[in-house]
Amino acid sequence: MEQNTVDYIVVGAGSAGCVLANRLSESGRHSVLLLEAGPRDNNIWIHIPIGYGKTMWDPRYNWRDYTEPDPGMNQRKVYWPNGRGLGGSSSINGLICMRGQH
């Protein structure tokens, strides 16, 4: 039985995963398997800034994560959109910048 092998496996085709897979394979010496759980980024709402409102709750393009309960916020959880699909969170951010707190 013949087995297919690759040199590297990159899990997640978000911005970093795609760049990493490209850099690892650009010389042609290494083979790379890029795995992504979500779909291609061909939905119209991914390609226009206002589309964030459509992809923010769509389970096809968003893992729809929540933070852990925060003692400083009376144990509330915060919704944390997390993109799935080609481009990852960059595909669903609608040109919005999210920065972490100190």
Side-chain angles (χ1 to χ4, degrees):
M1 173 197 278
E2 181 181 327
Q3 292 182 335
N4 293 328
T5 61
V6 295
D7 297 310
Y8 298 98
I9 298 172
V10 177
V11 179
S15 300
C18 287
V19 170
L20 180 61
N22 180 61
R23 297 254 173 100
L24 289 169
S25 65
E26 68 187 347
S27 71
R29 292 182 309 198
H30 303 291
S31 59
V32 178
L33 172 64
L34 179 59
L35 293 175
E36 174 54 52
R40 291 182 54 107
D41 63 342
N42 57 0
N43 185 305
I44 186 67
W45 296 113
I46 289 175
H47 296 280
I48 56 176
I50 194 69
Y52 183 77
K54 295 282 191 180
T55 60
M56 186 170 166
W57 298 98
D58 190 333
R60 293 174 296 178
Y61 304 103
N62 191 334
W63 289 108
R64 302 180 303 168
D65 291 330
Y66 283 85
T67 63
E68 291 296 315
D70 188 331
M73 293 179 40
N74 199 24
Q75 298 302 320
R76 287 180 293 178
K77 296 179 181 180
V78 176
Y79 181 65
W80 197 267
N82 189 5
R84 62 184 298 240
L86 193 59
S89 293
S90 294
S91 289
I92 66 164
N93 75 0
L95 304 177
I96 296 171
C97 179
M98 297 171 133
R99 290 195 168 86
Q101 300 297 315
H102 294 284

